[in-house]
Amino acid sequence: ALALGVLCAMRNSSQTTQQHKREKKSDRKNVDVNSIIQGKGGTVMEFVLQQVANAHSDVLVQHSGTKRATKQLCILFEALEAVALPGSFSRVIETTLHSSAVGGTELTNSSLKILFSQIESGRRRIGFDGRGFLDMSTRLTKLPAEDLSQLIGATGAQQMMTAMPNLLFQLPTSAGEEVAKCLWGI
């Protein structure tokens, strides 16, 4: 009876894993910015992050104010470049990149700028390490060249090559070698 219980638990675990994988793919479009990062009540950071959440959802929903929302999101991303953000914010950047066909190259470039600003060496981190940005940058470099070119364009590839020293500096040697090979293949 005990062994049968273990087997049932294993089957349910694998079903849960498959369900989680499906949910993870759909999460690219459904990111709640407010749950990822919040500013302290009554601060400018709280206001900026609320505006990011609003503009991000407007860009993803693609309604009539998309151009305005795209411009607003670009401006907000530029304002946040100087701030050390938690690694979980990379999910917002990733969903923005994947939806940037709506906003065009301006939104793509803005997303890449904030991404690469977060992996700059010497960025002071308090309370979090920003691994999400490194992981996302690594995932981008490992994309096939055609997919990467379609996602970030020529300007984005130039930004990626410019950020390469900062990225490689922070990665373990084995991962750094693979990323360097992928970057040289662009």
Side-chain angles (χ1 to χ4, degrees):
L2 183 61
L4 197 56
V6 170
L7 287 175
C8 287
M10 288 173 61
R11 194 179 104 226
N12 289 338
S13 170
S14 66
Q15 288 174 347
T16 305
T17 304
Q18 289 173 352
Q19 200 173 33
H20 179 68
K21 286 180 183 177
R22 277 189 235 120
E23 289 172 1
K24 194 171 184 178
K25 285 183 181 178
S26 67
D27 276 352
R28 276 191 182 159
K29 294 182 180 176
N30 301 327
V31 174
D32 182 17
V33 178
N34 292 321
S35 68
I36 291 175
I37 181 172
Q38 295 179 348
K40 189 174 180 179
T43 62
V44 173
M45 183 57 106
E46 179 189 34
F47 176 75
V48 169
L49 293 174
Q50 285 174 352
Q51 295 303 313
V52 167
N54 294 339
H56 185 262
S57 65
D58 287 349
V59 166
L60 292 181
V61 172
Q62 303 177 8
H63 55 73
S64 60
T66 302
K67 286 184 181 181
R68 188 177 119 314
T70 298
K71 184 70 174 167
Q72 183 180 15
L73 193 57
C74 291
I75 291 169
L76 291 167
F77 277 178
E78 186 177 340
L80 289 173
E81 284 178 24
V83 179
L85 298 167
S88 59
F89 195 80
S90 66
R91 290 181 42 216
V92 175
I93 297 169
E94 185 173 14
T95 56
T96 304
L97 272 175
H98 286 284
S99 69
S100 63
V102 175
T105 58
E106 184 181 12
L107 187 56
T108 299
N109 291 338
S110 182
S111 299
L112 290 172
K113 281 181 185 177
I114 192 169
L115 172 65
F116 297 139
S117 75
Q118 296 301 310
I119 61 170
E120 288 177 354
S121 56
R123 179 161 296 270
R124 196 167 160 219
R125 300 237 170 246
I126 299 173
F128 42 83
D129 60 5
R131 282 187 212 159
F133 298 106
L134 287 174
D135 293 342
M136 184 184 162
S137 299
T138 303
R139 282 194 313 273
L140 279 176
T141 61
K142 292 180 181 178
L143 285 174
E146 309 85 44
D147 294 344
L148 184 64
S149 176
Q150 193 174 32
L151 184 65
I152 65 173
T155 309
Q158 289 174 346
Q159 289 178 351
M160 187 174 279
M161 293 304 287
T162 304
M164 186 174 75
N166 291 326
L167 177 62
L168 293 176
F169 176 73
Q170 296 180 40
L171 292 174
T173 306
S174 59
E177 283 181 39
E178 187 178 351
V179 167
K181 286 178 187 176
C182 292
L183 283 171
W184 288 119
I186 295 176

